Amino acid sequence: MTEPEITDTAIPPLSVAQENENGRAVPVAGAAVMFDSVTKVYEPGVTALSDVSFVIEKGEFVFVVGASGSGKSTMIRLILKELDPTSGRIIVGGRDLSRLRRSKIPQLRRNVGCVFQDFKLLPNRTAAENVAYALKVQGENQNSIRRKVPEVLSLVGLSHKMNSLPDELSGGEQQRVSIARAFVNHPPLLICDEPTGNLDPDTSVGIMQLLYRINRSGTTILMVTHDREMVDKMRRRVLALSEGKLERDERRGGYVGE
Amino acid sequence: MTQLQLLLAESLRSLRASLSTTFAATMTVLIAMFLLGVSIALGSWVVSWSNNVKKDVQVKAFFCTENTCAEAVSDQQVGAVQRWLEADPRIKEGGVTFVSKAEALEIMRERSPELVKDLTYNPLPDAFEIQPKRAEDVEAIAADLRRQTFAGVEKVDYGRATARRIIRVGQVISIIFFGVVVLLLAASGLLIANTIRLSIYARRREIEVMKLVGASNWFVRGPFMLEGLFTGFAGALLAVILLLLGKEIALPAILGRVDADSDVQALAFAWTALILLGLGLLLGAAGSGLTLRRFLRV
């Protein structure tokens, strides 16, 4: 299997977010994620996000960078509706989250794959079982589970380790399992919270190539990262947060602003 | 595989994974339920005993004799009193017994022969023994009867002090019994709640993953709910078994053969068992529900 080079940039065309007369982003049909002047205040005086607006189109690959405490995690939790914004509007996959009933949150999360720095695999289940678990809880039938699990594990290059427990896998392999779990349903949006944060540089490149391939298949990827080299090399859209404010939104940005 | 099967499989898996916590919870439910069972048996026995004693609480209406009034009571007068008594809804069906002076003397002769021995004539009056439906009503019935001032009725009496004391004791016993049971129930409910909390804590990673991959709310909560139900039911079942052993083996050994056809009886064991099992399930559901609401906002 030949992995595509990261530098082989067939970047999907970026449609420019439309702006209204106030300079605010307005909803674009088919936007994967839209923040419309979103503010999140945890308690009086503790502002995690303040007046953040952006639109991410379907199929984009977006890095979110910023120091610790700049509001990156809050952003992810807002997209998953683990938190509700203090003010402003969030639209994910065409749904207005403020109008989403609590009972519909599972449906939202089925359409947003998540990959985390610490993998969040269940330690007492094998790689295949971990992936199957995601399908099971969503009520998939046994036949389609038996079909989809090997398929997605082979996509992430782990066909030979299907029956290994997480402890028996390397960090990179565990992250591949967690990507397989996030992607097994082919969600339109994949959120990655520092997916390479615990991995050495070589392994990180492998994970990035995998995410890149997933992105090429049409999946929107929103990736929070501290990996300066990776961001500078990929030259994709960068959202830079600083103390809860959107500091930069560059179509082909680097880790640090020009 | 249906969702239900999956849910059961997940619950079993989690029960096995947290075997020690589940065991501890089951044991606490067992102890609570055992005590509760004993309280029910003891309490219902005491209530039955006090009811039995209350049966003896009655109103007595004594009729005139030649000695006490101008003339002895007539049959019409007795009939009038009887009709009035039988129309009173507070009085038990067939609870009005006529005791003639001859019968009264007979009873007295049995109780204290030396008193009766020297009597030259029968000084005892005819009487009605009146049993109320509820022992608490004796006072009111007696008062009403007096107010009627029936001709031929010499005296209306009831065992005032005894009646009051018996009723009082019965009430106190019922209240204490009720209090102990409520306390025990609350304690076992909280223990189950706490166990579920530990179980949620122990499996917070799994819950996190469940939410992450979009498990529906009932799917996340189901295993804990079932775990609570199972714990409550298993504890209650074990308690029932222990109680049965105690009743069949320990009690006869201590007390010897208990009189089976006595009027004073504890609640039938089958009922006690059913109550315990039902309460076990209820406690499990309440305990886990309580915790899930607070600690598992999905």
Side-chain angles (χ1 to χ4, degrees), chain A residues 31-73:
Chain A
V33 181
M34 192 196 85
F35 272 46
D36 184 7
S37 28
V38 172
T39 297
K40 176 68 189 176
V41 180
Y42 282 108
E43 47 193 270
V46 187
T47 305
L49 282 182
S50 102
D51 199 21
V52 171
S53 299
F54 59 83
V55 175
I56 296 174
E57 297 291 329
K58 269 184 192 155
E60 274 195 87
F61 195 124
V62 180
F63 288 112
V64 180
V65 300
S68 301
S70 60
K72 304 189 301 286
S73 304

Side-chain angles (χ1 to χ4, degrees), chain A residues 196-225:
Chain A
T196 58
N198 276 350
L199 306 176
D200 62 68
D202 288 349
T203 315
S204 298
V205 169
I207 294 293
M208 286 309 297
Q209 283 172 335
L210 178 58
L211 290 176
Y212 178 74
R213 265 172 44 219
I214 287 174
N215 175 233
R216 295 247 301 209
S217 75
T219 303
T220 312
I221 293 189
L222 182 69
M223 175 168 163
V224 170
T225 189

Side-chain angles (χ1 to χ4, degrees), chain A residues 109-110 120 125 133 137-138, chain B residues 206 208 210 213-214 219:
Chain A
R109 293 185 186 152
R110 286 172 200 186
K120 298 201 195 295
R125 292 172 205 242
Y133 189 73
V137 301
Q138 297 173 15
Chain B
E206 207 152 329
E208 199 184 349
M210 281 188 199
V213 297
F219 190 89

